[in-house]
Amino acid sequence: MSSKRAQDESGATGRKKKRSSSVEAVELCGAVEEEEVKTAVKEAWSSRTHYSKGDLELDCYPFPHCIIKNFLSSQTFVENLQRELLELNFNEKSNDLYKFKQSNDLKKRKEPHIAATRAALFGRFRSWLGDVLGVELEPTVDISCAKYEYTDVLLCHDDELEGRRAAFILYLVPPWQSSDGGTLDLYSTDGNFQPEGIAKSLVPSWNTLVLFEVSPVSFHQVSEVLSQDKCRLSLSGWFHGPSLERPPRFKEPSILKHPHLPRDETVLFEWINPLYLDISYQEQIQTEFEDSSEIQLKDFLKEEKFREVSEALRQTRIQWMKRGPPNKRCYQSASLDSLPECVSACWELLRSEAFFLLLSNFTGLHLHFLCPADEEKEDDAEEGEVAGTSAESSSTAGASNGGRKLSTPVCCGEVRRWSHGSYTLLHDAEAAQAEYALDLILPFGCTDWQTEFGGLTCYVANEEDEELLTVYPEDNSLALVYRDKETLKFVKHVNHKSSHVDSSTCREFYDFSFVYYE
């Protein structure tokens, strides 16, 4: 289920008339109807202990969840329900968190088996669940149908949204194995209420209902569907009521930002395509960048340098560390101490004083003391001059800028590895800490990487799903993007198609990712 699910939409057109023939009444699993079982489940839920009887099981690890097999007692009824659901119109849903197909809201649908199931869930079963939880659940009806097919996924989240008290999923799937993907994965959490790892995976099963209380630790995901011929069909939604108390949200430590390294223009001559060191060409780049706030510079590094770094990044000596937590990101970052010499040298290039000034010339941003103020920008460079500087020149730059009070430009960066299952997500903390910044991405090892694999860097306006810009991984193509405080970014989930290819096609890629601040 998605904590970012779209609001109610209008019903599908062309709906069929209600059948005149009688429809089989819906009956729930016998365990739900027994008072003795309800009392036992309530006690077990309250005390966080395991309970099982017949088709009902309550497990409290990693957080309380209840599994009820054969939830609807009639097999014929369930088959008819499945048929009605598959005849609905479905909408493609895709953003940083998920990719799947979803029906419109079902709270007013008239199909007999959908209507009967809805009435049972939000009537008798809601009453049963309210007694179990010891709270009065609201009459709000919140239910839709989801179809997950090959490479569809719903990444780690906690479902918390004002008014949601319990989540449910009723599976209507063919025979399903864990190797098909599409499992409901439940996460354990650390002392800061952040998800750590998958503690339990629930394999979808025909006519099985799973429910859990929405809480600060109810982190879960729908793992990527790996089967190419099965459809993971389900009814899902929420029961509304008083929310559980949430502790203050954990704030991650701020990423350390560093000033430039004292390296002169020699490093530029050594590494960068001479085309980009020509002043007149830099002026063209700046004009284009100032118009669109983004640019891609192809063949940026010298070919021999690019090949050397590409080969070195594949070495086993590099120590790759998994970056989390999974409700925010999942990819690998290189330990800087383990980088081969040429990779470390490329890292130093991107942090060098000369490169800061080169970026200033590309973008017009004040990333170096020698970058003129807006009112001072004049073409006073001699033709053919290289955009480099020395450490000595920056020490006198203050005087040459008319005594302006200048902040110190800084940057942060990492070397990343992207493979099947990698992603980053938008999250509230990122939005709250957003700053004006220049993003730099320099990819390696992505020859023949296809768009459908994922791994794209997407820029969106805060609280909007529509993408403003997409940066595609392309070998030796330096991407520069200037973003304001209302623009956020994420890397699209790398899906199974990236590993389900012939051996001649790459299955992972790398990039240098830097952020520069004026």
Side-chain angles (χ1 to χ4, degrees):
M1 286 164 299
S2 164
S3 60
K4 297 186 179 181
R5 191 161 57 84
Q7 299 299 310
D8 299 353
E9 301 176 33
S10 60
T13 58
R15 65 180 62 169
K16 296 183 178 180
K17 293 182 179 180
K18 183 176 180 180
R19 298 180 179 218
S20 57
S21 58
S22 60
V23 175
E24 196 174 347
V26 60
E27 295 183 6
L28 302 182
C29 171
V32 176
E33 307 288 2
E34 296 178 22
E35 192 68 26
E36 177 186 339
V37 173
K38 182 174 72 174
T39 301
V41 173
K42 178 177 181 178
E43 292 176 356
W45 199 300
S46 177
S47 60
R48 298 296 191 262
T49 56
H50 182 271
Y51 173 80
S52 178
K53 184 173 182 180
D55 287 329
L56 185 148
E57 179 184 7
L58 171 67
D59 190 1
C60 293
Y61 179 76
F63 52 83
H65 58 280
C66 190
I67 304 167
I68 307 175
K69 298 178 181 178
N70 300 309
F71 180 69
L72 303 175
S73 60
S74 168
Q75 174 75 7
T76 302
F77 182 95
V78 180
E79 291 172 354
N80 286 328
L81 173 63
Q82 180 192 47
R83 174 183 51 76
E84 289 179 357
L85 292 171
L86 289 172
E87 290 175 353
L88 296 172
N89 290 331
F90 286 83
N91 307 303
E92 295 269 2
K93 312 293 290 185
S94 178
N95 62 13
D96 62 310
L97 185 65
Y98 51 69
K99 182 178 81 73
F100 65 101
K101 297 181 182 68
Q102 185 183 49
S103 73
N104 295 327
D105 196 291
L106 300 180
K107 66 182 178 181
K108 294 182 179 180
R109 297 299 300 194
K110 299 287 195 292
E111 290 84 351
H113 296 84
I114 293 176
T117 303
R118 181 182 64 229
L121 280 168
F122 291 93
R124 282 175 293 156
F125 189 70
R126 185 190 68 203
S127 177
W128 179 89
L129 182 58
D131 290 343
V132 166
L133 298 178
V135 297
E136 185 176 348
L137 296 175
E138 300 168 3
T140 305
V141 175
D142 193 346
I143 183 173
S144 64
C145 181
K147 283 200 305 186
Y148 287 77
E149 296 171 312
Y150 181 52
T151 72
D152 286 346
V153 69
L154 171 56
L155 299 170
C156 180
H157 64 291
D158 62 8
D159 260 10
E160 282 216 298
L161 199 65
E162 190 66 33
R164 292 178 179 174
R165 184 56 184 256
F168 71 88
I169 315 101
L170 175 61
Y171 296 110
L172 300 164
V173 295
W176 204 274
Q177 292 81 39
S178 58
S179 59
D180 294 323
T183 54
L184 178 62
D185 297 334
L186 311 183
Y187 285 81
S188 59
T189 50
D190 61 20
N192 295 313
F193 301 97
Q194 294 296 290
E196 288 184 309
I198 296 170
K200 186 175 183 180
S201 293
L202 305 178
V203 178
S205 179
W206 173 261
N207 192 22
T208 294
L209 183 126
V210 176
L211 69 93
F212 58 86
E213 198 168 31
V214 176
S215 76
V217 298
S218 58
F219 287 100
H220 59 284
Q221 72 168 7
V222 176
S223 69
E224 182 184 359
V225 173
L226 305 179
S227 171
Q228 299 191 43
D229 57 6
K230 294 182 183 179
C231 172
R232 184 188 187 275
L233 185 73
S234 65
L235 276 174
S236 59
W238 295 268
F239 296 101
H240 290 242
S243 300
L244 292 174
E245 183 179 352
R246 174 185 263 284
R249 287 190 180 273
F250 173 68
K251 291 184 178 180
E252 291 185 290
S254 298
I255 298 175
L256 292 177
K257 301 171 184 175
H258 304 278
H260 60 63
L261 296 173
R263 306 286 191 276
D264 64 21
E265 66 272 12
T266 305
V267 70
L268 304 184
F269 288 113
E270 181 182 355
W271 280 87
I272 295 175
N273 183 337
L275 174 67
Y276 295 112
L277 302 181
D278 179 80
I279 283 293
S280 61
Y281 196 62
Q282 291 174 17
E283 291 173 350
Q284 294 178 40
I285 291 171
Q286 185 176 137
T287 299
E288 182 177 340
F289 183 86
E290 289 178 339
D291 183 56
S292 61
S293 297
E294 59 92 12
I295 198 167
Q296 286 200 250
L297 307 178
K298 299 180 184 297
D299 301 319
F300 185 72
L301 299 181
K302 290 183 175 179
E303 179 61 29
E304 66 273 15
K305 287 293 187 182
F306 177 78
R307 283 200 309 269
E308 184 182 6
V309 173
S310 294
E311 293 170 4
L313 284 169
R314 297 187 180 93
Q315 292 183 11
T316 56
R317 60 168 280 195
I318 299 178
Q319 296 176 10
W320 295 99
M321 304 169 294
K322 191 171 184 178
R323 289 289 315 278
N327 61 325
K328 296 176 182 176
R329 62 190 73 86
C330 179
Y331 61 88
Q332 291 180 311
S333 179
S335 170
L336 299 183
D337 295 336
S338 70
L339 294 179
E341 184 177 353
C342 67
V343 180
S344 184
C346 187
W347 170 271
E348 291 188 5
L349 164 72
L350 301 178
R351 273 198 61 192
S352 69
E353 180 177 2
F355 195 76
F356 270 63
L357 183 53
L358 181 64
L359 288 178
S360 295
N361 288 356
F362 284 160
T363 66
L365 299 174
H366 299 144
L367 295 173
H368 193 279
F369 292 118
L370 293 183
C371 179
D374 292 339
E375 65 274 10
E376 298 172 352
K377 287 182 179 177
E378 295 178 349
D379 186 14
D380 57 356
E382 295 179 7
E383 184 175 356
E385 183 180 351
V386 174
T389 184
S390 65
E392 180 182 355
S393 66
S394 67
S395 64
T396 59
S400 67
N401 278 280
R404 282 190 300 121
K405 185 177 180 181
L406 300 173
S407 61
T408 302
V410 292
C411 73
C412 57
E414 58 186 338
V415 182
R416 307 181 297 184
R417 179 164 70 178
W418 301 95
S419 57
H420 180 211
S422 300
Y423 61 86
T424 68
L425 298 176
L426 304 174
H427 52 91
D428 294 340
E430 181 185 21
Q433 299 170 4
E435 301 180 61
Y436 291 92
L438 176 68
D439 292 335
L440 175 150
I441 302 172
L442 181 58
F444 292 81
C446 49
T447 303
D448 297 325
W449 188 267
Q450 298 178 30
T451 301
E452 63 178 8
F453 294 174
L456 322 175
T457 300
C458 304
Y459 288 81
V460 297
N462 191 15
E463 298 185 351
E464 298 288 341
D465 279 351
E466 184 178 356
E467 295 175 10
L468 304 174
L469 171 69
T470 301
V471 178
Y472 300 89
E474 183 179 345
D475 267 350
N476 202 13
S477 180
L478 184 81
L480 298 175
V481 180
Y482 185 65
R483 54 185 164 88
D484 59 22
K485 294 183 178 181
E486 294 301 315
T487 303
L488 305 176
K489 62 178 177 176
F490 67 90
V491 177
K492 196 74 173 175
H493 175 258
V494 179
N495 63 52
H496 186 251
K497 292 178 181 178
S498 66
S499 59
H500 191 68
V501 291
D502 63 83
S503 58
S504 66
T505 305
C506 64
R507 300 187 180 185
E508 61 185 18
F509 71 92
Y510 310 83
D511 65 24
F512 285 74
S513 173
F514 274 72
V515 184
Y516 299 85
Y517 303 88
E518 293 182 280

